Amino acid sequence: MKLKKIFVHAAYPLWRKNALVGFARAKQLQDQGHDVTVTYCNAKCGVCVCNEAGNPLVCTMCHFATKRTAKKFGLPVVALCPDKVDIEVEKELSISERKEIVEGVLSAFISSFRLLPKDIRSHRLLRWLKRRYYVTSTRLLVQMKRLITKHGIDEFEVFNGRHACSKFGIIAAKQQGKPFNTLEVTAAKRPIIHLGHTAHDRVGIQKRVMQQEVDWQLAEKFFSDRQHAASANQFAKHQCEAFEVPDTTGFDRMVPIFLSSQDEFASLGKAWKSSFDSEHLVLMRLCQRNPRTLFCIRFHPNQAGIRSDITWPYQALEQMPNVRIYYPQDQANTYDLLHAAHTVIAFNSTVAVEACWIGKPVIMIGPSFYDSLDVAYTPANENELHGLMCVQRLEPKDRTGAAKLAYYVTHAGDDLPYLMTENKVMKSTELSRSFPLIPILARNINTLSSQVLRSVA
């Protein structure tokens, strides 16, 4: 094995799982003989996803906890000091690099504030915070590019890599032609290392899914639990047992449509841009062209917490005689709709895989984490979508892709020394974070600040 000089950036150091995975991975690489250095942000009042208000006290506590934990793990550190870098260094960055930082800033704000981009752009306070976040991240990017060159780094690793305060390192590595890996935590709370791509790269993720085993018994239990066990599906307990599927008298078929989680989808960036028009416009034309089909449009349940108004575009649809709409707060049962369906339509939703498993033909609109698993028909445009709807009876897809996804969700992950997972709880062994109460206190301070920001926004 060729030994390398590696930077592991301590992104999200106030978040327990993220910090543990980052430090455990850095220690693993060091134990393998690599020359590992932990980099961290040493801003005095930088805005990031861990410090949305740019509170200097949160920054100070973050620096202290990060340096002490690195010392406990026996890892050398290098501080990135964006406050000491002149804003004019932005001129060192290409337009594409700046655009990627902007995308990372917007991604973080969508996730943090549960607002869609148009609402974030229209709010003066959020625009100001976005600018501060952008300035901090661009300065970190310039410093990281210089450090990679100065230290002759061979490889870069960071947790997640979607938000600007972790994405900047990936941008720097790519610009310098250096390979990068990203770290994440699976649904089963196991650490996972994505080699050469991020955790939101659907091509890379699906390649790994398709390499999994096919265990039919495990898949049966997995999808059964998705329907009935709240521990396996946080939305299962919200399914209304008294729900009645709409009467289809006067219609030839019933087609449930499951919408995506709009804010999560918007936060994934330009690589996830759909070739289709806006969801409500696509559905308006679909419902108009199929008056003998009863369409039941189901909003994603987690959209109950979104702060943007996502329902107004559907008010016109709601007036159509062949449309029933279930908003995020409405009582409904996703699985009753699935079992009663003639065909299922899904936008970027796990429901597509679940429908495939129970033997329903599925049409998936737009990009998703499941669009290469062959669990659904994937029209490239509206004409193909309407063509599929003209087929009297679509054949269900083979369930192999669904079974592999079940195995991936339950078994995916990589073993890291100093970490173990028991009953979906990640624990550190031998080494753990220093002064763990300090990150907790810093997070609480940030939570209070964020609550004020959210109430204003």
Side-chain angles (χ1 to χ4, degrees), residues 7 25 45 48 62 89 118 173 256 269 277 282 323 325 344-345 366 376-377 397 399 414-415 446:
F7 272 176
R25 172 59 173 170
C45 53
C48 68
C62 180
V89 301
K118 62 181 179 62
D277 209 339
V282 172
V323 175
I325 297 183
V344 175
I345 295 177
Y377 296 88
K397 290 283 189 174
R399 303 196 301 171
D414 297 286
D415 293 328
N446 181 58

Side-chain angles (χ1 to χ4, degrees), residues 77-224:
V77 296
V78 171
L80 302 174
C81 305
D83 303 306
K84 297 181 180 180
V85 180
D86 195 294
I87 187 58
E88 290 299 311
V89 301
E90 185 179 331
K91 294 178 180 178
E92 294 184 25
L93 304 178
S94 67
I95 293 176
S96 63
E97 288 173 328
R98 295 182 215 173
K99 285 183 177 179
E100 285 199 68
I101 290 294
V102 169
E103 187 177 272
V105 170
L106 190 58
S107 175
F109 272 62
I110 292 170
S111 298
S112 295
F113 294 100
R114 299 296 306 275
L115 287 169
L116 295 179
K118 62 181 179 62
D119 295 315
I120 293 173
R121 296 187 188 102
S122 66
H123 198 282
R124 182 179 297 178
L125 174 60
L126 295 186
R127 288 202 307 270
W128 177 69
L129 288 173
K130 273 177 56 187
R131 178 62 187 173
R132 286 184 59 191
Y133 191 6
Y134 171 81
V135 169
T136 300
S137 299
T138 51
R139 292 178 179 182
L140 288 171
L141 172 55
V142 169
Q143 281 197 306
M144 182 60 76
K145 288 171 67 174
R146 293 173 180 174
L147 281 173
I148 288 176
T149 301
K150 177 181 177 181
H151 290 260
I153 295 303
D154 299 307
E155 192 169 284
F156 177 83
E157 298 202 3
V158 68
F159 195 96
N160 188 273
R162 175 164 63 90
H163 306 127
C165 47
S166 59
K167 187 177 185 178
F168 77 89
I170 295 176
I171 299 171
K174 289 192 296 185
Q175 192 275 336
Q176 302 275 8
K178 306 299 181 182
F180 70 90
N181 303 320
T182 56
L183 315 173
E184 254 299 344
V185 176
T186 69
K189 300 298 183 282
R190 291 194 63 205
I192 187 169
I193 304 165
H194 297 293
L195 303 176
H197 64 85
T198 63
H200 56 276
D201 183 328
R202 68 180 189 278
V203 176
I205 296 294
Q206 290 182 91
K207 283 182 179 178
R208 189 161 180 171
V209 172
M210 293 307 291
Q211 295 170 358
Q212 304 301 307
E213 296 180 25
V214 175
D215 185 327
W216 299 108
Q217 186 174 359
L218 179 147
E220 182 62 45
K221 183 180 186 307
F222 173 81
F223 288 108
S224 176

Side-chain angles (χ1 to χ4, degrees), residues 368-393:
S368 80
F369 279 116
Y370 324 107
D371 53 15
S372 296
L373 304 184
D374 199 28
V375 296
Y377 296 88
T378 54
N381 50 54
E382 273 197 64
N383 286 335
E384 291 187 15
L385 169 62
H386 294 308
L388 288 170
M389 288 298 295
C390 289
V391 177
Q392 187 64 27
R393 182 66 188 178

Side-chain angles (χ1 to χ4, degrees), residues 57 84 87 155 182 213 231 235 289 304 310 313 363 372 398:
L57 178 59
K84 297 181 180 180
I87 187 58
E155 192 169 284
T182 56
E213 296 180 25
S231 59
F235 302 112
R289 292 182 62 161
I310 57 174
I363 299 173
S372 296
D398 181 81

